[in-house]
Amino acid sequence: MPDTSRPLRKLGFLTIGLFDPADPASGHESTLQIIELGEGLGFDSAWLRHRHLQFGISSPIAMMAAASQRTSRIELGTAVTPLGWENPLRLAEDLATVDLLAGGRINPGLSVGEPMHYDTLKHELYPDSSELEDFSYGRLNRFARLIAGEKVRDFSGRHGVVEEFSNRVEPHSAGLRDRLWYGAASRKSAVWAGANGFNLLSSSVIFPEADQEPDFARIQQSQIRAFREAAETSAQAHGQARVSQGLVVIPTDSASPGQREKYQRYVDERTPRTRAPQGARGMLFAADLIGTSDEIAEQLYAHAGFQEVDEVAFALPFSFDHEDYIQILTDIASKLGPALGWTPAEVRRDPQ
């Protein structure tokens, strides 16, 4: 069995929230039920992928607001929200509002860069400013300042008989700034996140440096270490810098024969892309981990990236059925998590 002398402290999961375009409500309800199940199983966090103009969750903030009213303890996050689609001030207002509704359980994960397929939609997204929009880290720093409650304008106070105006984003949710995460896939972005007071989301996709061998686990390990080094010397660090790793894991302990066959077929279809760098930047994909929980635990303890973290947000596979997610989450919480030294969070129950 793996050495559990350094137990896993926090266990989370990530879902894309797929839906049938002819019946999107059912898919969103399924996602909410999965989050409720996660809380009942003792998971520490549930994370939502952000998908625009696709058949997935286009508004994680609305979903987190709904989930916050159906749960009481589990943390809720985005992994990640591409900031290029957002107005930083309006996003700050929405996230602060949901964080207050959730009792301080929101973990916004963000990324920067030009929106995917920007040329096909910029006329709708930014019809008057598409060539002027700043999609750099500066956009994210502006958002972070707004979340922190820094001054937006000089004007504030009473106007007229009843109108009161503030010079910062309202409502303000104290502590939310400390819970901002950055989804980094390169050393440069990991260092930037650490230097600018963000926590680090490291997932199953990374970009190596030109002089690095294409070893996913070792490169992920080096990025995490670079992040921590930058965070330790940063004047903008907010408390202890956190790192979460997100790999696809598919435990099969309680899976039916049909589920095992489907899961293995899914992994087999995705495995070829993990064998060599992809694209002009040499993107590397992590291999999906499938097998019994003990087998997956052995692989994780041998993974250089996993060795650097004490919290994870395991990604649920795309396009599986609701019943499959129930089985996978149940096995993660009851078998894989404990095999990694994790203890389920105590679930608060309403008094009878």
Side-chain angles (χ1 to χ4, degrees), residues 281-297:
R281 295 182 61 192
M283 179 169 54
L284 296 175
F285 289 94
D288 301 333
L289 304 182
I290 185 172
T292 67
S293 289
D294 286 344
E295 290 169 342
I296 293 175

Side-chain angles (χ1 to χ4, degrees), residues 319-335:
S319 67
F320 280 14
D321 295 325
H322 185 82
E323 294 72 19
D324 300 331
Y325 294 138
I326 292 175
Q327 176 265 312
I328 291 170
L329 285 178
T330 301
D331 280 357
I332 290 176
S334 63
K335 298 182 182 300

Side-chain angles (χ1 to χ4, degrees), residues 201-212:
L201 289 170
S202 186
S203 69
S204 57
V205 178
I206 59 172
F207 295 100
E209 299 296 302
D211 60 345
Q212 289 180 310

Side-chain angles (χ1 to χ4, degrees), residues 18-38:
L18 297 175
F19 62 79
D20 181 345
D23 183 22
S26 295
H28 283 68
E29 174 60 26
S30 170
T31 298
L32 292 173
Q33 290 179 11
I34 288 298
I35 294 173
E36 289 182 278
L37 172 66

Side-chain angles (χ1 to χ4, degrees), residues 170-318:
E170 301 292 352
H172 175 68
S173 184
L176 183 56
R177 173 63 183 88
D178 297 349
R179 284 177 271 118
L180 296 184
W181 298 72
Y182 187 76
S186 67
R187 187 182 188 280
K188 174 185 175 183
S189 57
V191 169
W192 182 91
N196 287 273
F198 286 77
N199 302 302
L200 176 66
L201 289 170
S202 186
S203 69
S204 57
V205 178
I206 59 172
F207 295 100
E209 299 296 302
D211 60 345
Q212 289 180 310
E213 292 295 319
D215 182 326
F216 181 97
R218 293 295 177 189
I219 294 171
Q220 187 174 64
Q221 180 187 61
S222 70
Q223 290 180 1
I224 292 172
R225 289 178 174 177
F227 163 80
R228 288 208 171 103
E229 182 178 352
E232 287 173 2
T233 59
S234 169
Q236 297 189 55
H238 295 262
Q240 173 127 16
R242 297 167 60 187
V243 181
S244 179
Q245 183 196 44
L247 301 177
V248 176
V249 302
I250 311 176
T252 59
D253 303 86
S254 66
S256 69
Q259 286 175 317
R260 290 192 186 99
E261 182 180 353
K262 177 168 68 173
Y263 299 169
Q264 190 61 59
R265 187 165 60 249
Y266 175 88
V267 171
D268 289 346
E269 290 174 352
R270 285 160 52 92
T271 296
R273 68 177 188 167
T274 71
R275 293 175 176 152
Q278 305 290 310
R281 295 182 61 192
M283 179 169 54
L284 296 175
F285 289 94
D288 301 333
L289 304 182
I290 185 172
T292 67
S293 289
D294 286 344
E295 290 169 342
I296 293 175
E298 293 277 4
Q299 294 177 73
L300 285 170
Y301 273 95
H303 192 288
F306 179 81
Q307 293 167 8
E308 294 293 321
V309 303
D310 64 0
E311 56 184 294
V312 296
F314 290 136
L316 294 176
F318 295 171

Side-chain angles (χ1 to χ4, degrees), residues 48 50 52 60-61 78-84 86 91 95 108-112:
L48 302 175
H50 208 144
H52 288 297
I61 295 176
T78 61
V80 290
T81 295
L83 198 58
E86 309 288 344
L91 182 63
L95 283 168
L110 304 118
S111 67
V112 298

